[in-house]
Amino acid sequence: MSVSRELPRITLLATGGTIAGAHMAGGGYAAAALSAEALLAAVPGLAELATIQVEQVARIGSPDMDDAVWRKLAERAQAALDDPAVTGVVITHGTDTMEETAYFLNLVLKTDKPVVLVGAMRPATVISADGPINLYNAVAVAAAPVARGRGVLVVANDEIHFAREVAKTNTTQVGTFKSPNRGLAGLVNRGRLHFFGPTVRRHTQTSEFAPLSAAPLPRVDIIYGHAGMRRDLIDAAVAAGAQGLVVAGVGAGNLPAGALAACAEAVQRGVVVVRSSRTGGGVVERNVEIDDDRVGFLVAEELNPQKARVLLMLGLAHNLPAAALQERFELY
Ligand code: SIN
């Protein structure tokens, strides 16, 4: 006797990226060339996994992702998640800034349903495109009860990553995503899920930033540290109106003396300065080589510069004072 069961319902929000890219004569490709419907049509077996409702939220390469698209994406995702009939949400997205969007949504969506970002390193129309298997796996994760309560996830290359941990680490290879500090959330082998430990920090249901408020996100710039660095770009960011600066410092978030002096002056002018690291792994701790207490800097702990920027923007939008902001880098 065959028992018919109702399929999970997934909302797919499409934004573009290489997963929707088409190659062009000469070897290049155009991101976001294909519609979401075309992407789904290229994935055998999806119809047996879930009923999928599609919405094209944007049609961009993810270098063009910005606050306005983030806000629209958060609103559309929250609306879908608030629908009791929806099991989970999948978001197709370029890989370049996927980690930032994933972390932003991890902090601003009020839900315990699965939310999965998925992309591809190869355009949809080339040999061995990775988009179809990534999309199949993303839908399988979003449809799975075991994926609930884990915050926003990124699925690619048969791996499941937590939004807080994941980073793009390679320009072209399909195994570009890594979670350097705390490792994978799990694996997904053609729709079969294997979750490892839970994520360690607050997200979604327990985030004070969820649901997303109407308060505008303030300008926060990232300044990259290097040998021979001068103070000019720090001064320029402050003059341009940045309310926060994230320093991608050398090593454990360090900067040469002139740049440090410029950052200390920025703090005196009311700008929040967060030290993070350009190394791609490890923790930036307070008061080791730099006396943060004396000059008034914050540290990003494990967050990479681009994720520290997201958290700082949300904290500043909520008018949190410096001490409370530092606490948030320990909580999220
Ligand atoms: C993009 O981020 O839109 C381009 C690169 C990619 O999707 O892999």
Side-chain angles (χ1 to χ4, degrees):
M1 187 179 76
S2 74
V3 181
S4 70
R5 65 177 182 104
E6 205 176 317
L7 287 175
R9 279 183 50 183
I10 299 297
T11 297
L12 185 139
L13 303 176
T15 71
T18 297
I19 190 168
H23 76 279
M24 298 183 300
Y29 73 95
L34 304 184
S35 68
E37 287 81 3
L39 296 188
L40 291 175
V43 187
L46 260 191
E48 285 103 70
L49 273 187
T51 305
I52 302 174
Q53 190 177 342
V54 174
E55 194 178 326
Q56 192 86 44
V57 174
R59 208 153 173 173
I60 56 175
S62 79
D64 287 324
M65 191 55 68
D66 61 13
D67 299 1
V69 187
W70 274 352
R71 189 170 288 283
K72 187 171 172 200
L73 199 48
E75 283 165 4
R76 298 313 303 143
Q78 191 66 61
L81 294 160
D82 289 344
D83 178 347
V86 170
T87 309
V89 166
V90 170
I91 299 170
T92 57
H93 195 292
T95 59
D96 287 355
T97 62
M98 186 183 286
E99 65 202 81
E100 286 147 89
T101 301
Y103 189 54
F104 176 75
L105 295 175
N106 196 49
L107 297 178
V108 304
L109 293 179
K110 198 84 182 164
T111 188
D112 69 351
K113 293 181 184 177
V115 177
V116 181
L117 273 78
V118 62
M121 291 301 286
R122 298 180 182 144
T125 57
V126 300
I127 297 169
S128 297
D130 50 335
I133 182 62
N134 287 349
L135 193 49
Y136 184 92
N137 282 335
V139 171
V141 173
V146 70
R148 289 179 76 114
R150 296 177 189 269
V152 174
L153 301 168
V154 166
V155 166
N157 198 35
D158 298 349
E159 294 174 346
I160 312 169
H161 297 261
F162 292 119
R164 177 179 184 269
E165 310 302 333
V166 68
K168 183 172 183 177
T169 66
N170 187 285
T171 53
T172 55
Q173 293 185 331
V174 293
T176 185
F177 287 113
K178 304 273 183 239
S179 289
N181 281 329
R182 293 179 186 254
L184 289 174
L187 297 172
V188 50
N189 298 327
R190 185 144 177 81
R192 299 181 302 278
L193 277 61
H194 306 273
F195 270 107
F196 306 153
T199 184
V200 289
R201 299 290 179 97
R202 283 196 199 175
H203 58 80
T204 54
Q205 281 290 81
T206 57
S207 170
E208 73 200 88
F209 307 113
L212 180 60
S213 81
L217 295 172
R219 175 171 173 159
V220 173
D221 291 337
I222 298 175
I223 307 281
Y224 202 87
H226 57 88
M229 180 186 190
R230 298 173 190 276
R231 60 175 291 157
D232 313 40
L233 294 181
I234 297 161
D235 294 335
V238 174
Q243 293 175 42
L245 293 181
V246 174
V247 174
V250 298
N254 295 316
L255 287 177
L260 272 180
C263 285
E265 285 167 37
V267 172
Q268 291 304 314
R269 295 173 66 173
V271 177
V272 177
V273 175
V274 177
R275 292 192 301 112
S276 65
S277 171
R278 69 175 194 175
T279 59
V283 185
V284 176
E285 298 169 317
R286 292 187 64 79
N287 303 318
V288 179
E289 289 170 79
I290 292 171
D291 190 344
D292 296 295
D293 287 347
R294 188 179 60 78
V295 286
F297 297 161
L298 310 185
V299 293
E301 290 231 325
E302 293 167 35
L303 292 185
N304 69 20
Q306 50 274 32
K307 286 188 192 161
R309 175 177 177 268
V310 169
L311 181 55
L312 183 55
M313 285 197 300
L314 288 169
L316 288 171
H318 280 239
N319 295 316
L320 296 178
L325 285 168
Q326 182 61 78
E327 258 176 45
R328 297 319 183 266
F329 281 95
E330 289 147 28
L331 280 177
Y332 289 97

